[in-house]
Amino acid sequence: MSRSPRLPSVVTALLAVAGAIAPVAVPAVAAEDGGAVADERFPVGDQVRAKFAEGVKEYRIGRYQAAAAAFAAALKLNPDDKLCYELYLAAGDGLLVQMEGYDELRLVLRDLLAKARVYQRHLRRDAAYIDLLITKMKAGEDERLVATNELVAVGPIAVPRLLARLGDNRQDDDRVGCRIVLTRMGYRAVVPLVEALNAAEPRLLSTVVAVLADIGDRRALPRLQLLLEDTATDATVRRVVENAVAVITTRSRSESGTVESLYLSEALRYFRDGDQVRDEMIAAEALMWRWTEPEGGARDGEAITKALQYVRVPGYAWNELMAEELLYDLGAARPAFAPAYPLLAADLAAQDVEVRRRARLVKESPYPARNPEGHPDAIAERAAALDGAGSGMMDRVRLFGPVHLYRAFQQAVVADRFDAGAAIAEVLRDRAIAAPEAHLPTPAESFSPDKAGTPLIAALDHGAKAVRYPAAMALAHLDSAAAHTNGDKVVPVLAQAVGEWGMRVVLVVDQDYRYRNLARSALQAKGYLVRAVNDGFEAMQVLEEAPVKDAIIIPGDLLPTVRNAHGQLVSVPEQRAETLIAQLRADQRSAKTPIFVSLPEDPELAAKIQTALTDKVDGFVKKPFDAVELSGKIESALEKAELPNVNREEAEATALAAAIALQQPDPKRTQYDLTLAAEALAATLENRGDALRIEALKALSVAVRHANGEKVRALAPKLTDLYAAQDATLAPALRAAWVQAIGAIDPGTPAAADIIARALAYDGPESGMVRAAAAAAAGRSTAVAAPVPADGGSLLRYLQERRMDLRPQGAGAEPGAAVPSSNAP
């Protein structure tokens, strides 16, 4: 808010209401040597104001260093947030913005404004402050103008109190002023206003509809269309709604459509997320709204204020919660509308996987959370809430049944919500839920739209392995005697997943959606997980999220997009390649991340960009993007870089799940050739985690019983050589699994016989488990007399040497005889 000599009464009024609100407590700041010390003879507030006035005076005569010193002295007197806000009002936003343009003043003013804005946020949430501003709209022109601007700045939280005045028919001036504020608030007010359409009182309803028509936001269309189709809607309200629908469809270039199509398209837009949805979330302050109709209807201001309430939700879940809200509203209006259910299932799954992913990442992050919703305790609280009391979110997803779940998987994949798709595919591993015989198309049917399971099979050809892998795992669990189309691709995909070491994550920035899509396709084909964004602002926001970025690609010809209130381009670091790169280098989270610049197809412009940025980035790539060039340069830059822990853990979990999936088919009747994964399974035995190696050995034991089992038996020497090389370090569980696999694959070779014999004599930790596995392995050998011990003796000699004399046990003691304490020799 800029200061104007014509508005002293407004500043006075705002300062007065600021004084009525309790100040926000701030911690004391230790004074530095030579710093300002409060004079006990005068109030600290007066001393701070004097120092601040001195700083403004020094700035006006061009002594910027002296001005900075005066402001710093004011801050060292430890002013509270309320006082800083008063200084901000007194100076005016315009003057402070001018001051921040000077390097000498930027840092100290940033600290002062940070304290002022803390109090401003506190003030703007106070009901008394909002009511005072509404009252000021009946004052003179100057005060009305500033009060209107301030109410617009307060945003959605002011909507209930503005609606309360809109519902008061005795105060026409108030009604006009409030309508103007809501209209100027624009799309920030749409969500609570749409919720207020649940009001029963026709006059209030008509007013709300009229305001939504003034705003012209398409998000109101589903609820308005429902009012049109409701036979109970008041005739006057119906006419207002018809006009509003016509205005909104014209202004937003939308199609009116049916209730079902409008609700579904809006829910899908939120589920898919994107730049516009994120802007809406920021404008809506991550608030969700609920209208609770009071008894007797909302006829007075207090009742309306109480009826429309909000709750703050995590910003990362706002879009999914908005989609859920729309889908539940659609379900209430059209319970038989089947297309809503797959999207709802996908949305619920997305909520679950999002918070789980954040919980994993927050454990690894060395940086404190920047906002309350990112704190580990807050994330844990949400995860616990989604788990519920014995009935978690994924349990709710299971309720939807196979047809909806197969289509939910497709919805998630099409919307690029691969994590949600993977969660749904995991639910579909349950044969009782998935009913594969009924829903998977046979080779004769090929990709049949009549078969609900078709999307799962089609996913085996998807460019992103985050889609291929979960689909192949689900199909392996669902294997049956009845073959399905694309079945020959299941095991090769699982073999890739078993060998997964970790997904490199690349952030691509480009304002041309065609180049973004090209980069995504090219990198996904090479196995990368890609986040593609429009500009530097979104890139910095993605940096706040997960997973960790391994490389960033920025266009050298990045253009400014943000404009001020007058439509002029605003110069900020995120809007130019050079300054965005500098900002990324200054951020600890991306300081060591390789940054590449994509060059435009114009050779002259490309040469200029390359000359300007050569020493500031790790390399350049040409447009249109080439998969080989992109992946080659990224891998070269990351050759010695270690994968983030989260990526390694996720890769290990992926490989483990694939190894388990390869154990599910019956090798004697399966449609899958399990031996195609044998090499990949054997490769895990060298230097992967114990859990993965155990499951890989089990999978090899299953694959060897396939009709093509000779391919697995050919790997027996490799298994015994690797076991011998690691014999001294093997944990008991891994040792047991390895010995059992050797027995399953080929226990008759001398090397295998030696390993089994040593395992039979194993006396280390958990020896019973290892010996049991060795006995089972020995029992698989058809050559009973084959050499087992290393000294060349026979199996019979081995048993004789370790004979257990059990003759006396169980005979009972003779009268007067001592009970033997041990076996006789």
Side-chain angles (χ1 to χ4, degrees):
M1 176 167 47
S2 300
R3 185 186 182 186
S4 169
R6 299 174 59 230
L7 305 178
S9 57
V10 174
V11 172
T12 303
L14 293 177
L15 290 175
V17 74
I21 309 300
V24 178
V26 294
V29 179
E32 299 176 0
D33 292 342
V37 178
D39 190 330
E40 296 181 357
R41 297 173 298 171
F42 302 100
V44 172
D46 290 349
Q47 297 177 63
V48 171
R49 293 184 185 93
K51 286 293 182 184
F52 188 79
E54 178 186 340
V56 173
K57 176 183 175 183
E58 295 288 354
Y59 165 77
R60 291 190 183 281
I61 61 177
R63 298 176 55 183
Y64 305 130
Q65 197 65 48
F71 292 142
L75 282 173
K76 287 175 183 176
L77 292 171
N78 192 27
D80 62 22
D81 295 343
K82 175 186 171 186
L83 180 55
C84 290
Y85 181 61
E86 291 177 3
L87 299 175
Y88 161 72
L89 286 178
D93 188 66
L95 178 63
L96 292 171
V97 168
Q98 292 176 16
M99 290 184 185
E100 283 189 289
Y102 294 89
D103 292 339
E104 299 92 336
L105 295 164
R106 185 174 295 118
L107 290 178
V108 67
L109 285 177
R110 183 191 65 184
D111 293 341
L112 187 147
L113 288 173
K115 292 167 71 66
R117 283 165 184 153
V118 166
Y119 186 76
Q120 184 182 52
R121 285 194 297 271
H122 169 82
L123 192 63
R124 284 177 172 174
R125 280 155 178 75
D126 188 272
Y129 180 65
I130 296 171
D131 285 340
L132 176 67
L133 291 173
I134 294 174
T135 303
K136 289 294 179 184
M137 289 195 299
K138 293 189 296 186
E141 179 183 351
D142 293 339
E143 290 190 55
R144 184 170 64 250
L145 176 61
V146 174
T148 299
N149 290 338
E150 181 67 2
L151 280 167
V152 171
V154 169
I157 289 176
V159 170
R161 312 197 79 79
L162 290 166
L163 279 184
R165 298 299 180 97
L166 274 175
D168 188 349
N169 298 310
R170 299 165 299 177
Q171 301 291 335
D172 286 340
D173 289 343
D174 278 7
R175 287 165 56 83
V176 172
C178 291
R179 182 167 172 174
I180 290 171
V181 170
L182 288 168
T183 304
R184 287 191 54 193
M185 202 179 291
Y187 73 107
R188 301 173 67 202
V190 170
V191 175
L193 286 173
V194 169
E195 186 62 27
L197 291 176
N198 289 301
E201 210 280 310
R203 189 167 294 160
L204 174 63
L205 199 53
S206 296
T207 305
V208 173
V209 172
V211 174
L212 286 169
D214 291 342
I215 296 172
D217 193 297
R218 68 179 185 182
R219 287 175 291 170
L221 285 175
R223 187 71 182 87
L224 292 174
Q225 191 66 35
L226 193 59
L227 282 172
L228 277 183
E229 296 187 10
D230 188 351
T231 56
T233 300
D234 177 83
T236 302
V237 174
R238 183 182 299 278
R239 287 194 295 272
V240 178
V241 171
E242 287 173 347
N243 176 67
V245 169
V247 169
I248 293 172
T249 51
T250 301
R251 188 176 300 178
S252 62
R253 297 178 182 176
S254 301
E255 296 181 3
S256 54
T258 63
V259 167
E260 295 88 344
S261 63
L262 289 169
Y263 267 109
L264 195 62
S265 63
E266 276 299 288
L268 187 58
R269 186 174 67 87
Y270 282 112
F271 174 69
R272 285 177 172 168
D273 206 1
D275 303 347
Q276 186 181 23
V277 171
R278 294 190 191 102
D279 288 345
E280 289 175 16
M281 185 275 294
I282 294 169
E285 301 179 30
L287 303 180
M288 300 289 295
W289 294 83
R290 177 76 68 242
W291 177 274
T292 305
E293 183 71 19
E295 294 183 10
R299 297 184 181 278
D300 59 73
E302 183 180 357
I304 293 172
T305 302
K306 290 180 178 178
L308 186 61
Q309 296 291 323
Y310 69 85
V311 60
R312 191 173 302 282
V313 302
Y316 59 80
W318 184 82
N319 64 301
E320 294 153 355
L321 290 169
M322 286 294 295
E324 177 189 307
E325 186 91 2
L326 288 162
L327 291 166
Y328 275 121
D329 287 348
L330 174 56
R334 301 286 192 273
F337 185 60
Y341 292 99
L343 182 55
L344 181 57
D347 187 72
L348 296 178
Q351 291 183 47
D352 191 79
V353 297
E354 175 70 21
V355 76
R356 312 266 174 226
R357 180 172 64 92
R358 288 179 179 272
R360 290 196 304 272
L361 284 154
V362 77
K363 291 178 182 177
E364 182 176 325
S365 175
Y367 310 113
R370 294 193 174 189
N371 51 62
E373 69 186 28
H375 193 277
D377 291 344
I379 293 173
E381 178 187 9
R382 179 160 182 80
L386 292 182
D387 282 340
S391 180
M393 188 65 85
M394 294 310 297
D395 290 333
R396 287 169 170 77
V397 172
R398 289 181 179 88
L399 297 175
F400 285 83
V403 174
H404 292 320
L405 287 175
Y406 283 120
R407 289 172 181 159
F409 173 81
Q410 183 179 28
Q411 287 276 22
V413 171
V414 170
D416 283 350
R417 299 299 303 270
F418 299 159
D419 50 358
I424 295 165
E426 188 170 350
V427 173
L428 287 170
R429 295 179 195 176
D430 187 336
R431 176 181 289 275
I433 291 177
E437 290 81 2
H439 297 297
L440 296 183
T442 65
E445 293 169 318
S446 188
F447 295 98
S448 170
D450 297 329
K451 292 284 189 175
T454 296
L456 196 64
I457 290 172
L460 295 171
D461 294 319
H462 198 279
K465 53 190 178 183
V467 175
R468 294 196 307 272
Y469 290 172
M473 292 173 198
L475 290 167
H477 282 76
L478 300 178
D479 179 45
S480 64
H484 61 72
T485 190
N486 243 18
D488 58 324
K489 296 178 181 177
V490 170
V491 174
V493 171
L494 290 175
Q496 294 174 8
V498 164
E500 187 62 61
W501 276 95
M503 296 187 193
R504 296 289 191 187
V505 184
V506 180
L507 174 62
V508 177
V509 184
D510 207 294
Q511 289 167 324
D512 191 322
Y513 74 93
R514 294 168 298 181
Y515 286 127
R516 289 202 302 273
N517 291 339
L518 278 173
R520 182 190 285 112
S521 299
L523 289 167
Q524 282 181 351
K526 290 294 182 179
Y528 293 91
L529 181 62
V530 183
R531 287 295 304 269
V533 300
N534 180 60
D535 56 27
F537 287 101
E538 194 176 350
M540 296 306 295
Q541 181 169 341
V542 168
L543 194 64
E544 296 272 359
E545 301 171 357
V548 179
K549 307 299 171 290
D550 296 299
I552 301 173
I553 301 173
I554 296 170
D557 54 348
L558 189 65
L559 297 173
T561 55
V562 176
R563 298 177 182 272
N564 62 19
H566 304 291
Q568 300 166 323
L569 288 169
V570 180
S571 179
V572 290
E574 294 88 348
Q575 297 198 88
R576 295 284 187 188
E578 187 169 2
T579 47
L580 176 59
I581 291 166
Q583 193 168 0
L584 289 167
R585 290 297 189 213
D587 194 306
Q588 288 179 303
R589 295 163 301 179
S590 56
K592 296 181 180 179
T593 302
I595 297 176
F596 298 89
V597 167
S598 57
L599 298 172
E601 296 184 65
D602 180 348
E604 186 176 345
L605 180 57
K608 290 180 180 178
I609 293 170
Q610 197 160 0
T611 301
L613 299 177
T614 294
D615 298 330
K616 299 175 182 178
V617 295
D618 295 86
F620 298 87
V621 291
K622 297 177 182 178
K623 292 180 183 177
F625 296 112
D626 177 81
V628 175
E629 181 195 20
L630 273 177
S631 61
K633 292 197 173 184
I634 291 171
E635 285 305 314
S636 177
L638 296 174
E639 196 171 54
K640 297 180 181 178
E642 188 177 357
L643 275 170
N645 289 337
V646 170
N647 288 354
R648 288 201 308 272
E649 291 168 5
E650 289 183 355
E652 199 75 5
T654 296
L656 182 67
I660 293 172
L662 285 165
Q663 301 168 37
Q664 306 310 309
D666 182 341
K668 295 300 184 182
R669 59 192 289 271
T670 183
Q671 61 188 295
Y672 307 136
D673 184 355
L674 301 175
T675 64
L676 295 176
E679 291 282 356
L681 290 166
T684 67
L685 303 178
E686 297 190 44
N687 50 8
R688 300 297 293 269
D690 283 4
L692 172 57
R693 291 195 282 176
I694 288 171
E695 299 304 334
L697 288 161
K698 291 179 182 178
L700 285 168
S701 299
V702 172
V704 75
R705 293 187 281 127
H706 189 272
N708 296 330
E710 289 302 322
K711 295 179 182 178
V712 182
R713 291 190 187 91
L715 297 172
K718 181 174 183 177
L719 265 66
T720 53
D721 289 349
L722 286 172
Y723 180 97
Q726 301 176 49
D727 190 7
T729 60
L730 293 176
L734 178 56
R735 185 184 298 275
W738 211 316
V739 170
Q740 203 152 15
I742 287 172
I745 294 169
D746 190 356
T749 66
D754 182 62
I755 288 170
I756 294 170
R758 291 180 184 278
L760 285 166
Y762 177 78
D763 60 357
E766 301 185 61
S767 58
M769 175 177 60
V770 175
R771 290 180 182 179
R780 291 177 180 272
S781 174
T782 55
V784 176
V788 178
D791 62 2
S794 67
L795 175 61
L796 181 59
R797 179 177 298 176
Y798 171 82
L799 292 172
Q800 286 175 335
E801 289 175 354
R802 290 158 181 77
R803 181 180 180 186
M804 298 171 65
D805 190 351
L806 300 175
R807 290 174 297 177
Q809 276 69 21
E814 294 183 5
V819 178
S821 60
S822 62
N823 290 342

